[in-house]
Amino acid sequence: MLKIEHLTKVYDNGTVALKDVSFEVPDGEFLAVIGLSGSGKSTLLRCINRLIEPTEGRILWNGVDIASLSQEELRPVRRRIGMVFQHFNLVHRSKVLTNVLQGSLGYVNPVRSVFNRFPQEAIDKAFAQLERVGLEEKATSRADALSGGQQQRVGVARALMQDPEMILADEPVASLDPVLAHSIMQYLEQINQEDEVTVLCSLHFLDLVHRYADRAIALNDGVLVFEGPPQEIDDDKFREIYGKEAERVG
Amino acid sequence: MSGERRSLWRILRVPLLVVLAVVVYSYTFQEADVNLDEIRSETRQTQLVRVLRALARPEVLTYERIETPTDAALALPCGPALPAAEYGPDERQIAVEPSCAEPGAEITVTGTNFSPNARGQIYQVPSSGEIELRLEEFIADENGDFVVVVDTRERPEDVPQTIRVITREPIGSVFSPEYVEVETDDLDEDGNAIVATVRSPRISEAAYNTWDRITETVMMAFLATSVGVLVAVPFSFLAARNIMREVTTTVLRLSLQILVLPVGMVAGIIAARWMQDVSLLLTDSVGLVVGGLIVIPVAIFFAIRRAFPPIDEGLVPRGERAIRVSLAGVAAVASILVLFLLADLLTDLGAWAAPSLARLAFIANFVETLGDILAAIITVITALITTGVAIQLAGRLAAVLRQSLPGGVRKAIAVPLAGLAGGVLAAILAQGVAWLYQLNDPVTTIWIPGAVGAVIGLALAIRSLRKDDIGVGLSLYYVSRTIFNALRSIEPLIMVIVFAVWVGLGPFAGSLALATHTIAALAKLYSEQVESILPGPVEAVKASGATRLQTIAYAVLPQVIPPYISFTLYRWDINVRMSTIIGFGGGGGIGFLLQQNIRLLNYQAASVNMLAIAIVVASMDYLSARIRERIV
Ligand SMILES: Nc1ncnc2c1ncn2[C@@H]1O[C@H](COP(=O)(O)OP(=O)(O)OP(=O)(O)O)[C@@H](O)[C@H]1O
Ligand SMILES: [Mg+2]
């Protein structure tokens, strides 16, 4: 269970990206995070695995406050939290297989892996993950030789490589066309349902939220303005989340 | 109001700038000693012409020459009339006009029937016939005639002197060389000069020397570049802001780490000494050394496999952890032994093989030198490693304290520790200063800096306690940036002077100077590449729980390898260029030869040197541009 308490993030330049945000995510839930551009979705997701240092508040996960951990203590926690990014964040010049193996870096011996030595189990597992996203024949291609949709599938495989208990997905489909978007979302859905992995996914399109999420939270200018099942987002709620002028599309 | 002022400025702006420019350039001219009289002076011009003509004729080939003298008499000063010289009708002949003159006066020498375009020198030979005083050179026209007006030397004699014209005509040509017998400087048993047969023309001494030195030059550049790259790569990360910004620590941790710094260093030195003693037991017999070099690394391999299991299972029981730590320690100590044995083996191997390898002896010498270098740096490596381990352990200790102590107690410990650490650090730094200025008084070299350091440490600790987040990374970043910038601003030509004092004049000093400059320059270029990588992959790798080292290896390195290669080639190019002149500062290579030739006024040889430099620089330039194109 993930429990965010009074989370606040003030950037060095004074921007308040999150203001006193509190909510809970039960294990195995698919939670959508919505809000306008600049409302703080990315900041929220990155605070959870401390890619961004929260300014105040607690992030309780399985009873441990992630916000108070030291860098060394953070490593075993991070390796159980997979992350999928809008721009895939693959290492372009590396092979697809190497990119997937990066997901095991938290588990393998830090000294050995620096010399590109991975245990055979890790390599077998990486192939298995690639197979799961249908890219096993691309294992030895360079990552930048893949299309956007394929790259994001590698991103998903990399997150799976971590044996995650939770996946943070920051607009995983925002740079993909609608068909590809659904295929990626279906992988996340499958991981959520079959492997019982908690998924926190920020999304721009409400139809995706309705189709995939169990529950949604909405941010507006760093403040939590909605928390509940997607069906509850009616026109009034919509305007509260996206502003008075906003019009519903799609 | 302000509009008026602005328009006034607009009107005056151009005249003011012109006046300013005139003043600046006047001063510049005075400082630069711009002096057209020198340019116009006739002696300067003839000198320049001579040098330029010599430079235009690089002495790549040496010709044997036939010397042919032609004499005419001359009275200095005028005395009894001289008999006219007798020549055959088609024989080459010279006439001196007038046939007598005051010493130092002008005479006209006219030559006829010389070979077309022949070159030669005109000499004045006093009556003793022992010396030839050079007067002038001449070139005959296409008919073999010449007329030259020369000044005689002021050497009055009662008897007639001789005006001698000597032509030195080259034997053979590039396409049809000839063989001639010449007397060498060596004598046989009877005291006669030994006669040798030589080819004319043949490749000149200057060309051979140039070839020797130009290879030396290229090798110097190569060595400097490789050493520079090896050192600059790790340091480039220290000088990259985006990497170092994230390296932060706490007061407690930093204080502990500073305190263990000297301990780690001393431990390393002791361990290295100790292992050297152990290695001395083995080095008496080659068999033991080789055996040790086989058995010990295998043992180390298994120890390391046991100590660093491939999968990190998180928490391990205490007993298991103790086994792993001690195995790692034993492996580390054994590695030092291996290094010593290796150094010994290399040195012996090199010394043993050198005589029997004849022309390949330089390989054996290289192996021997490698052994030497290894032996010299083992202690340093060991001290660095033990210091690193000590810092790591101190970090662990800080982490344990952090978990087990409440915040208040932790801070109460951290502040005095920070004071102590500041004191120790300042005292250590002061030792360097004391050595430089030869201070021996413990009050000034230990206690005062210690106290000052302690106060600074305390102040910093108290200041940063509230957030307890010290940016050591950024401090390291600034320190290394400063060092690199300072090193980079010293030209290698100046650095080589210091190195020449240390290791003597020659290519070694030159290589060291170039290497130092290369380290600084490449570290800066590389670190800028690290700073401009895409942050996305770094974020992704970090999110998977990777350590900092893993993040660098998997997210940073792949991104910077192409620019690193490109900058290395670029630097190689610069190093070739610089190594051609580093000899002017005492650094060996072609520059040394060039400087010598210029000093000896041997411009035709200097011209060969310059030619070689031009060819090498241009071809390296072309080559590295092509390779860079390919890679990037
Ligand atoms: N590194 C940073 N430094 C300063 N301000 C930042 C930084 N990153 C983000 N911000 C600011 O914080 C606020 C929240 O940004 P965030 O990226 O979390 O929004 P978002 O909801 O993910 O937007 P988008 O949908 O465009 O990705 C914005 O106002 C942004 O300008
Ligand atoms: Mg975002």
Side-chain angles (χ1 to χ4, degrees):
Chain A
M1 163 115 134
L2 177 71
K3 200 168 165 195
I4 310 288
E5 293 180 349
H6 309 294
L7 185 64
T8 297
K9 171 65 192 179
V10 184
Y11 280 108
D12 288 342
N13 63 4
T15 313
V16 184
L18 294 174
K19 276 181 219 144
D20 196 19
V21 173
S22 304
F23 63 95
E24 283 180 17
V25 191
D27 284 343
E29 186 174 67
F30 196 122
L31 179 81
V33 182
I34 58 176
L36 275 178
S37 186
S39 58
K41 305 180 295 293
S42 301
T43 307
L44 172 65
L45 292 179
R46 280 174 171 70
C47 277
I48 294 174
N49 64 359
R50 291 262 303 273
L51 284 178
I52 291 177
E53 292 294 331
T55 312
E56 260 167 58
R58 306 210 298 164
I59 302 160
L60 293 165
W61 190 43
N62 301 335
V64 177
D65 179 13
I66 296 180
S68 73
L69 295 179
S70 71
Q71 288 295 323
E72 297 97 86
E73 294 160 338
L74 201 53
R75 184 170 130 97
V77 173
R78 271 185 179 162
R79 70 183 190 189
R80 316 235 52 167
I81 306 178
M83 193 150 187
V84 179
F85 301 84
Q86 174 179 358
H87 299 293
F88 327 134
N89 288 359
L90 303 185
V91 180
H92 287 177
R93 293 180 50 86
S94 297
K95 283 190 295 186
V96 166
L97 184 68
T98 315
N99 271 288
V100 178
L101 277 169
Q102 281 164 12
S104 70
L105 285 176
Y107 292 90
V108 297
N109 187 292
V111 181
R112 285 195 187 189
S113 62
V114 165
F115 300 101
N116 212 352
R117 287 267 159 280
F118 284 93
Q120 192 57 44
E121 306 95 84
I123 296 172
D124 294 344
K125 193 164 145 198
F127 271 109
Q129 306 304 348
L130 276 176
E131 207 166 322
R132 189 162 174 189
V133 297
L135 282 177
E136 64 275 25
E137 78 281 9
K138 294 280 186 192
T140 53
S141 322
R142 257 172 66 148
D144 55 2
L146 267 55
S147 72
Q150 290 172 326
Q151 289 197 25
Q152 192 59 298
R153 274 143 76 191
V154 177
V156 171
R158 176 174 65 190
L160 281 176
M161 191 70 194
Q162 291 176 238
D163 278 337
E165 288 172 37
M166 174 160 74
I167 284 185
L168 307 172
D170 187 12
E171 294 178 28
V173 297
S175 352
L176 302 174
D177 68 46
V179 182
L180 283 174
H182 276 291
S183 93
I184 295 293
M185 289 309 290
Q186 276 155 12
Y187 281 119
L188 289 178
E189 183 179 44
Q190 187 193 3
I191 294 162
N192 173 251
Q193 286 170 1
E194 288 176 10
D195 307 357
E196 290 167 9
V197 174
T198 313
V199 175
L200 271 72
C201 180
S202 68
L203 286 170
H204 265 313
F205 288 105
L206 277 182
D207 56 339
L208 290 179
V209 178
H210 282 290
R211 162 89 174 67
Y212 294 101
D214 300 330
R215 222 156 54 88
I217 60 169
L219 292 170
N220 186 338
D221 209 5
V223 181
L224 190 76
V225 290
F226 172 83
E227 187 179 358
Q231 301 78 9
E232 279 182 21
I233 307 177
D234 52 23
D235 283 359
D236 283 345
K237 278 280 166 220
F238 182 81
R239 271 195 215 98
E240 195 181 325
I241 298 168
Y242 288 107
K244 299 249 172 340
E245 267 85 80
E247 260 185 66
R248 250 180 134 130
V249 288
Chain B
M1 171 66 206
S2 92
E4 249 170 59
R5 210 187 275 162
R6 183 170 298 164
S7 66
L8 191 66
W9 164 238
R10 277 226 177 129
I11 296 166
L12 286 183
R13 190 167 57 181
V14 174
L16 273 178
L17 283 178
V18 169
V19 171
L20 187 71
V22 169
V23 172
V24 167
Y25 279 104
S26 317
Y27 188 67
T28 315
F29 268 47
Q30 181 199 325
E31 289 300 300
D33 216 355
V34 176
N35 184 348
L36 292 187
D37 287 344
E38 289 284 354
I39 297 181
R40 287 195 213 101
S41 131
E42 196 154 330
T43 44
R44 299 268 174 188
Q45 280 182 2
T46 38
Q47 272 173 7
L48 178 67
V49 168
R50 199 153 73 235
V51 171
L52 286 182
R53 289 199 176 140
L55 287 181
R57 287 204 304 261
E59 194 197 346
V60 181
L61 298 175
T62 319
Y63 288 86
E64 288 303 321
R65 289 168 189 274
I66 305 175
E67 284 193 10
T68 324
T70 312
D71 290 354
L74 174 70
L76 289 176
C78 286
L82 296 172
E86 285 178 12
Y87 300 104
D90 291 332
E91 198 183 342
R92 43 188 261 178
Q93 49 187 272
I94 58 170
V96 179
E97 195 57 42
S99 64
C100 75
E102 284 305 303
E106 267 184 5
I107 54 169
T108 307
V109 181
T110 313
T112 34
N113 292 338
F114 281 70
S115 17
N117 305 316
R119 291 159 180 277
Q121 308 274 357
I122 303 171
Y123 298 87
Q124 172 182 340
V125 187
S127 58
S128 68
E130 274 166 12
I131 47 169
E132 293 175 337
L133 303 167
R134 220 179 72 118
L135 297 181
E136 195 62 75
E137 56 188 61
F138 70 88
I139 304 176
D141 61 17
E142 62 270 27
N143 302 321
D145 303 334
F146 68 89
V147 179
V148 187
V149 179
V150 298
D151 290 331
T152 53
R153 299 285 181 103
E154 298 211 27
R155 260 179 169 267
E157 270 188 279
D158 296 337
V159 283
Q161 306 187 30
T162 310
I163 290 298
R164 178 170 295 161
V165 169
I166 299 180
T167 53
R168 295 191 175 83
E169 305 216 23
I171 304 172
S173 72
V174 180
F175 302 107
S176 60
E178 285 172 26
Y179 290 85
V180 277
E181 299 197 331
V182 292
E183 289 186 352
T184 63
D185 292 340
D186 300 324
L187 302 179
D188 62 15
E189 291 123 36
D190 308 328
N192 301 321
I194 294 177
V195 173
T197 309
V198 295
R199 192 181 144 117
S200 174
R202 61 180 182 277
I203 293 173
S204 71
E205 196 73 6
Y208 278 117
N209 289 339
T210 303
W211 172 254
D212 274 358
R213 292 300 178 132
I214 202 82
T215 41
E216 187 178 297
T217 304
V218 174
M219 291 301 125
M220 227 157 70
F222 183 67
L223 185 63
T225 313
S226 7
V227 172
V229 170
L230 276 183
V231 182
V233 167
F235 277 112
S236 63
F237 295 101
L238 274 188
R241 196 187 185 99
N242 54 344
I243 304 260
M244 296 309 281
R245 195 178 41 214
E246 312 202 328
V247 183
T248 59
T249 185
T250 59
V251 174
L252 182 64
R253 193 182 148 110
L254 183 62
S255 312
L256 283 173
Q257 289 180 331
I258 292 178
L259 284 175
V260 298
L261 211 85
V263 180
M265 243 183 257
V266 171
I269 294 171
I270 292 176
R273 289 253 173 85
W274 189 47
M275 277 303 114
Q276 189 166 26
D277 289 344
V278 175
S279 79
L280 286 183
L281 297 179
L282 298 178
T283 51
D284 284 340
S285 121
V286 178
L288 277 181
V289 173
V290 175
L293 275 178
I294 295 169
V295 174
I296 304 175
V298 172
I300 292 176
F301 176 75
F302 283 108
I304 287 181
R305 269 185 65 147
R306 178 75 178 74
F308 299 100
I311 302 286
D312 188 351
E313 310 93 341
L315 281 181
V316 271
R318 190 159 294 187
E320 169 64 16
R321 204 147 72 193
I323 294 177
R324 286 186 190 173
V325 169
S326 29
L327 273 177
V330 170
V333 171
S335 315
I336 310 173
L337 182 61
V338 169
L339 285 180
F340 271 117
L341 291 180
L342 192 64
D344 181 76
L345 186 69
L346 288 179
T347 318
D348 286 352
L349 194 70
W352 167 77
S356 52
L357 281 178
R359 294 208 60 174
L360 291 181
F362 69 94
I363 295 178
N365 289 338
F366 169 69
V367 171
E368 192 181 345
T369 313
L370 268 193
D372 235 13
I373 295 177
L374 193 57
I377 60 173
I378 292 173
T379 313
V380 178
I381 297 178
T382 315
L384 280 180
I385 292 176
T386 47
T387 311
V389 170
I391 288 177
Q392 199 73 30
L393 289 179
R396 286 275 166 80
L397 178 63
V400 171
L401 288 180
R402 192 187 138 94
Q403 275 175 337
S404 53
L405 294 179
V409 181
R410 216 165 61 212
K411 289 179 181 178
I413 300 177
V415 172
L417 269 182
L420 191 60
V424 169
L425 193 63
I428 294 177
L429 291 180
Q431 292 314 300
V433 179
W435 171 81
L436 202 58
Y437 293 99
Q438 295 175 293
L439 307 173
N440 295 315
D441 175 18
V443 175
T444 49
T445 60
I446 297 180
W447 300 118
I448 293 180
V452 173
V455 171
I456 295 176
L458 281 177
L460 285 180
I462 292 169
R463 232 188 67 132
S464 45
L465 261 190
R466 209 165 47 86
K467 218 176 146 212
D468 206 8
D469 190 28
I470 306 174
V472 269
L474 272 189
S475 316
L476 279 176
Y477 161 80
Y478 283 118
V479 170
S480 44
R481 264 286 150 109
T482 313
I483 293 178
F484 290 141
N485 281 339
L487 273 183
R488 218 157 41 89
S489 65
I490 306 175
E491 280 295 318
L493 208 51
I494 297 169
M495 263 188 220
V496 74
I497 298 172
V498 179
F499 282 113
V501 170
W502 186 22
V503 301
L505 294 176
F508 186 35
S511 309
L512 287 177
L514 282 177
T516 316
H517 198 258
T518 307
I519 291 170
L522 279 185
K524 177 171 188 283
L525 291 176
Y526 286 169
S527 63
E528 273 160 13
Q529 288 310 308
V530 175
E531 283 174 355
S532 66
I533 56 169
L534 296 175
V538 179
E539 200 178 28
V541 171
K542 244 177 12 190
S544 69
T547 61
R548 187 164 292 125
L549 217 54
Q550 287 174 325
T551 311
I552 289 180
Y554 285 91
V556 181
L557 272 186
Q559 294 195 58
V560 296
I561 281 176
Y564 270 34
I565 293 178
S566 151
F567 279 122
T568 306
L569 286 170
Y570 169 66
R571 186 65 211 181
W572 153 250
D573 209 57
I574 294 181
N575 275 346
V576 171
R577 240 172 265 248
M578 290 226 215
S579 62
T580 59
I581 55 160
I582 197 104
F584 279 76
I590 189 85
F592 185 68
L593 197 63
L594 179 59
Q595 189 196 28
Q596 242 178 9
N597 283 329
I598 291 174
R599 291 241 171 102
L600 296 174
L601 307 183
N602 197 352
Y603 291 111
Q604 277 186 283
S607 179
V608 182
N609 303 156
M610 290 187 199
L611 198 67
I613 291 175
I615 293 173
V616 165
V617 168
S619 45
M620 290 301 165
D621 197 87
Y622 174 77
L623 213 70
S624 75
R626 286 298 297 270
I627 300 178
R628 253 185 297 169
E629 246 167 48
R630 279 260 178 109
I631 290 176
V632 188

